[in-house]
Amino acid sequence: MTFTISSSLSDLLRTAREFIDQEVIPLEEAFLTGSQDDLVSGLSKAREKARAMGMWAPALPEEVGGSGMSLVEFAHLSEELGRTPLGHISCNAQAPDVGNMELLLGYGNDEQKDRWLLPLVDGEIRSAFSMTEPGHAGSNPTWMSTSAVRDGDEYVINGDKWFSSSADGASFTVVMAVTNPDAPRYQRASMIIVPTDNPGFALVRNTPVMGEAGHGWSSHAEVAFNDCRVPVTNRIAGEGEGFVLAQARLGPGRIHHTMRWIGICERAIELMARHSIDREIAPGRPLATRQVVQHWIADSRAETNAARLMVLDAAHKLETIGNKAARTEISAIKFFVANTLQRVVDRAIQVHGGLGMTDYTPLAFWYRHERAGRIYDGADEVHRNVVARTELAKYGDVDLRG
């Protein structure tokens, strides 16, 4: 199929690129190597400009304070925002907030929307998501120890989570906990909102990722729930529906991530090309004259273009025929784009030499933090299995359990 965009979206994307280039990329130095005070001040100004330019909370409808973009439209914008580590936060479109916004919009009750969704969309507060546990394989989302035991009109939550993204400074987290231990495995867990000022909630520490613990929204935390009491009304949707909600949340989330990754690839190609032209290996002989560098740039361009078309196709199918029907396409983009990103960033670092290992460009930051893209939201191997089984089923019925 062909992917045409409206003139209004084309104008917005042009505006978004100018905004990123002029207002956000200049903040990278403070983010990567500088003062947090300078970053907070500059980022606050950029966020206000994004709001005024119609790019605020792009994935959310206008009636709750968003920009009302479709999934495909947001996919295009997400590529532009992905060109810098600060792009999505500048437009209030960062994970895990955008996933929690969509979760609360689709399944939250009126009280939850008023108390948590509206301030989240407005940018007054941030949120976290607590699902993965240190004691269990993250690739099996139905196996967890964190429990939420009903006690009258409250749940008492106990357990430990890690990689709770952005818990540092968040106002609440959405925790996945077992509420129905004797139910079938896909009906055991529920999603529950826990305010982070609850006395039973503790942020133990930010988890160092390849040596960097991060801070604020750019961090992953280890959190503990110790006799943490919350009202039953904090549960999102029905009891035992946590796995269903997780799957509904992950489909669009994988579109968000993969288009952000394509934005990273585009910036990496730009940095690689510019540096290869500017950097001389001898007087009058730029690095770009080396055939191997030319091939790295060519391979990166071809792979990025292919990845983009795959993601847009998956986004279109998810939006038109639903999450379940687009499952294979979503799995395919998850591992294909994550690996494309890793290769493109690695080539860009190689072209930059020693400079690529520093935080004077965003390349090393992406290399550290985006490696996780092949693990979170389903490891490569899980998604490859989904695609392979779909293909094999076309040609025969075979037991693939091994």
Side-chain angles (χ1 to χ4, degrees):
M1 64 177 297
T2 59
F3 298 102
T4 57
I5 61 175
S6 65
S7 59
S8 59
L9 179 58
S10 179
D11 291 342
L12 179 64
L13 295 177
R14 190 178 306 110
T15 299
R17 176 164 286 252
E18 292 174 356
F19 168 71
I20 292 297
D21 285 342
Q22 297 171 13
E23 305 292 340
V24 185
I25 287 178
L27 300 174
E28 286 180 350
E29 182 178 355
F31 174 67
L32 295 170
T33 63
S35 161
Q36 284 304 301
D37 290 339
D38 290 343
L39 174 63
V40 169
S41 174
L43 190 57
S44 178
K45 293 176 183 176
R47 283 164 68 89
E48 287 306 312
K49 289 185 179 180
R51 190 192 300 267
M53 295 164 68
M55 296 190 296
W56 188 257
L60 276 292
E62 294 179 0
E63 54 264 31
V64 296
S67 298
M69 290 188 179
S70 69
L71 182 60
V72 173
E73 289 172 334
F74 177 54
H76 283 287
L77 178 62
S78 191
E79 177 181 339
E80 295 297 335
L81 301 182
R83 293 176 55 241
T84 169
L86 300 170
H88 285 76
I89 186 70
S90 69
C91 293
N92 200 23
Q94 71 284 353
D97 288 335
V98 64
N100 287 342
M101 291 179 203
E102 292 173 338
L103 185 68
L104 290 168
L105 178 69
Y107 303 97
N109 59 40
D110 290 342
E111 179 185 352
Q112 292 167 356
K113 290 176 180 178
D114 287 341
R115 183 177 178 186
W116 304 113
L117 173 62
L118 295 182
L120 194 59
V121 176
D122 194 51
E124 295 177 15
I125 62 174
R126 289 194 295 99
S127 64
F129 189 72
S130 302
M131 183 172 178
T132 306
E133 298 183 357
H136 296 292
S139 58
N140 184 355
T142 65
W143 187 26
M144 58 186 63
S145 297
T146 300
S147 64
V149 178
R150 185 80 174 256
D151 183 17
D153 293 332
E154 294 181 317
Y155 283 116
V156 182
I157 306 173
N158 283 281
D160 300 298
K161 302 284 187 179
W162 70 340
F163 287 97
S164 291
S165 298
S166 305
D168 184 6
S171 295
F172 72 94
T173 188
V174 176
V175 62
M176 186 97 145
V178 175
T179 50
N180 308 71
D182 298 324
R185 64 177 183 152
Y186 293 112
Q187 299 169 22
R188 292 174 187 165
S190 301
M191 286 194 181
I192 302 170
I193 298 169
V194 176
T196 55
D197 61 0
N198 187 300
F201 173 87
L203 193 156
V204 178
R205 59 179 165 264
N206 284 345
T207 304
V209 175
M210 292 196 178
E212 182 179 352
H215 48 267
W217 59 271
S218 182
S219 65
H220 306 279
E222 299 169 36
V223 300
F225 302 86
N226 298 305
D227 291 330
C228 182
R229 288 182 171 269
V230 297
V232 169
T233 53
N234 278 24
R235 187 189 67 231
I236 302 174
E239 195 167 79
E241 294 184 359
F243 181 79
V244 174
L245 296 181
Q247 292 303 110
R249 187 182 187 276
L250 284 173
R254 287 165 181 152
I255 301 293
H256 300 167
H257 278 307
T258 50
M259 283 305 283
R260 179 175 61 83
W261 294 340
I262 291 169
I264 294 172
C265 289
E266 284 292 341
R267 180 80 183 286
I269 292 171
E270 176 187 342
L271 291 170
M272 180 165 37
R274 290 185 184 278
H275 186 75
S276 69
I277 291 171
D278 295 338
R279 185 70 161 181
E280 292 187 342
I281 53 177
R285 293 175 61 195
L287 190 58
T289 61
R290 301 300 88 188
Q291 191 177 65
V292 67
V293 174
Q294 296 172 17
H295 288 181
W296 287 340
I297 293 172
D299 288 345
S300 297
R301 169 50 59 210
E303 292 169 11
T304 299
N305 284 1
R308 179 186 296 105
L309 291 174
M310 287 180 65
V311 176
L312 291 175
D313 178 61
H316 173 75
K317 288 180 178 175
L318 191 153
E319 200 163 48
T320 55
I321 62 177
N323 200 343
K324 185 175 181 180
R327 182 186 179 199
T328 302
E329 287 80 4
I330 293 170
S331 282
I333 64 171
K334 178 58 172 58
F335 71 79
F336 184 85
V337 185
N339 281 270
T340 296
L341 165 66
Q342 187 173 348
R343 289 191 298 271
V344 172
V345 171
D346 183 72
R347 292 173 190 139
I349 289 175
Q350 195 73 8
V351 168
H352 281 74
L355 176 61
M357 300 298 294
T358 73
D359 282 333
Y360 298 141
T361 80
L363 294 171
F365 173 85
W366 282 325
Y367 195 82
R368 292 191 301 270
H369 290 274
E370 301 303 340
R371 174 59 179 83
R374 293 181 53 203
I375 300 172
Y376 62 65
D377 287 4
D380 283 3
E381 293 74 18
V382 173
H383 288 293
R384 284 190 167 104
N385 287 347
V386 171
V387 175
R389 287 170 179 169
T390 300
E391 286 301 305
L392 289 167
K394 296 176 183 177
Y395 305 102
D397 185 11
V398 61
D399 186 350
L400 299 174
R401 290 175 295 180

